[in-house]
């Protein structure tokens, strides 16, 4: 049984592929961050190597080893902490492994997390493997933005786009995991369809407190002086050098705040995501015009896009800080 919340169409397609033995040598799972791409990749790995008839059973030795991350035939390749790209050495190591037969299972599965972070040499090296894949190997690439991958890589993969999961479905899944109803409703709303985020946050409640602290700090930036703004830019730039995804998460949270300000200004309260800050959002939104709020949402998105292209992080963030409007404009 595929143990996932949502993504029923993608699961059905993969089930049919396994049942008819028409497995693709390479898959590309795309969709927003923390929406469940890596979880789906692991479910596919379990289904391909499961020892029971009803695959993936989740109970056999193979499924349990994959859950624990110790199956010798299932490997994840990801951006190492402190690195800007997935380098060619990771792909060369993969190429050495694909030449060997599976050690225990039926298929060797390699999962590239955030495949858009492949360096150009690594991407070109991976392309060679995609052109002549061994029969017992399945490659799974996950990405938040397929347009950042080489078109030749994309064309050699079976593509599955994962869309945001319905809020009600996430809330139900949280309830089934014994999350209190009020908290389940809040997490499902805050998740914005990102089921992975909802489940992880439910398991680590301290994340909500950290989120609250972050919003309190972000909310002060419009009234902060230039020195304070640049200090914040420097902090996020340093974080970006160590952990690009964490830095991106801060900017995406900030963008969601300005988006909610815009929605409040337009009177669309029912579309607000950060529902636990309704009062503060209402008070702050009245100090800006619709045009100013809309422009700020776009400016943050532009900065997020630039940071994904390896531009000077600190300069980009300082420019963003200079764009932050003061209340009443």
């Amino acid at each position: 049984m595929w143990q996932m919340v949502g993504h029923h169409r993608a699961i059905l397609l993969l089930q049919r592929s396994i049942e008819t033995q028409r497995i693709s040598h390479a898959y590309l799972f795309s969709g927003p961050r923390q929406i469940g791409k890596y979880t789906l990749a692991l479910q596919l790995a379990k289904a391909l190597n499961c020892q029971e008839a009803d695959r993936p059973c989740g109970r056999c030795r193979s499924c349990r080893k994959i859950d624990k991350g110790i199956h010798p035939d299932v490997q994840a390749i990801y951006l190492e902490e402190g690195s800007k790209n997935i380098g060619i050495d990771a792909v060369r190591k993969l190429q050495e492994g694909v030449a060997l037969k599976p050690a225990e299972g039926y298929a060797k599965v390699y999962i590239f997390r955030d495949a858009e972070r492949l360096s150009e040499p690594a991407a070109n090296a991976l392309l060679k493997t995609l052109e002549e894949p061994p029969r017992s190997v399945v490659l799974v690439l996950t990405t938040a933005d397929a347009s950042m991958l080489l078109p030749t890589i994309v064309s050699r993969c079976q593509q599955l786009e994962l869309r945001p999961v319905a809020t009600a479905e996430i809330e139900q899944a949280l309830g089934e995991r014994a999350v209190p109803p009020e908290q389940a409703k809040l997490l499902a709303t805050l998740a914005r369809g990102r089921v992975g985020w909802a489940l992880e946050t439910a398991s680590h409640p301290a994340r909500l407190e950290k989120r609250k602290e972050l919003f309190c700090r972000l909310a002060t930036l419009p009234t902060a002086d230039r020195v304070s703004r640049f200090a914040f830019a420097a902090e996020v730039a340093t974080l970006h050098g160590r952990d690009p995804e964490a830095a991106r998460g801060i900017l995406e949270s900030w963008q969601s705040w300005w988006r909610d300000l815009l929605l409040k200004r337009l009177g669309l309260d029912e579309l607000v995501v950060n529902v636990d800050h309704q009062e503060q959002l209402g008070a702050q939104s009245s100090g800006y015009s619709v045009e100013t709020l809309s422009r700020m949402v776009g400016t943050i998105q532009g900065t997020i896009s630039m940071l994904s292209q390896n531009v000077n992080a600190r300069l980009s963030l300082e420019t963003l800080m200079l764009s932050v409007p003061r209340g009443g404009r």
Side-chain angles (χ1 to χ4, degrees), residues 170-188 198-199 201-203 208:
I170 296 177
E171 185 177 350
Q172 179 181 347
L174 291 170
E176 292 172 352
R177 288 163 173 76
V179 176
E182 186 174 341
Q183 185 182 15
K185 185 177 183 64
L186 173 62
L187 290 176
L199 295 175
T201 304
S203 300
L208 279 181

Side-chain angles (χ1 to χ4, degrees), residues 80 137 216 307:
E80 297 286 351
V137 171
C216 286
L307 290 181

Side-chain angles (χ1 to χ4, degrees), residues 251-267:
L251 292 179
E252 288 179 342
S253 294
W254 202 26
Q255 185 184 38
S256 77
W257 182 268
W258 284 95
R259 176 183 175 275
D260 282 349
L261 289 174
L262 176 60
L263 293 171
K264 293 288 286 188
R265 192 73 174 82
L266 293 170

Side-chain angles (χ1 to χ4, degrees), residues 206-227:
R207 292 186 180 182
L208 279 181
E209 188 60 32
K210 289 183 178 180
R211 170 182 165 275
K212 182 179 179 180
E213 293 172 359
L214 173 63
F215 276 142
C216 286
R217 188 173 184 189
L218 293 174
T220 66
L221 287 176
T223 57
D225 58 26
R226 182 174 296 188
V227 174

Side-chain angles (χ1 to χ4, degrees), residues 27-135:
Y27 292 91
L28 175 60
F29 297 164
S30 62
R33 299 178 190 283
Q34 294 186 300
I35 201 170
K37 302 183 294 295
Y38 183 61
T39 300
L40 182 61
L42 289 178
Q43 290 290 307
L44 174 60
K46 287 197 285 187
L48 291 171
N49 287 293
C50 184
Q51 299 166 342
E52 300 295 332
D54 184 19
R55 301 183 291 173
C57 70
R59 302 179 303 275
C60 70
R61 183 169 178 268
S62 177
C63 286
R64 294 198 309 272
K65 292 184 83 170
I66 293 173
D67 280 334
K68 294 177 181 178
I70 58 174
H71 198 294
D73 298 318
V74 179
Q75 297 182 33
I77 297 124
Y78 49 86
L79 188 69
E80 297 286 351
E81 185 174 349
S83 301
K84 292 185 176 181
N85 299 107
I86 299 173
I88 191 170
D89 288 344
V91 178
R92 286 175 176 163
K93 185 176 180 181
L94 175 151
Q95 290 172 331
E96 294 173 0
V98 299
L100 305 174
K101 293 182 179 180
E104 290 185 10
Y106 306 112
K108 296 175 75 82
V109 182
Y110 293 89
I111 305 170
F112 280 85
R113 303 191 69 170
D114 303 314
E116 70 273 17
R117 306 298 298 185
L118 283 162
S119 67
E120 185 175 350
N124 288 325
L126 179 62
L127 185 58
K128 294 180 180 179
T129 301
L130 289 172
E131 289 172 344
E132 299 177 2
R135 293 187 60 182

Side-chain angles (χ1 to χ4, degrees), residues 148 248 251 300-311:
M148 294 181 65
R248 181 187 179 103
L251 292 179
I300 297 175
Q301 181 57 52
T303 303
I304 292 172
S305 298
M306 284 191 291
L307 290 181
S308 68
Q309 298 170 16
N310 294 325
V311 299

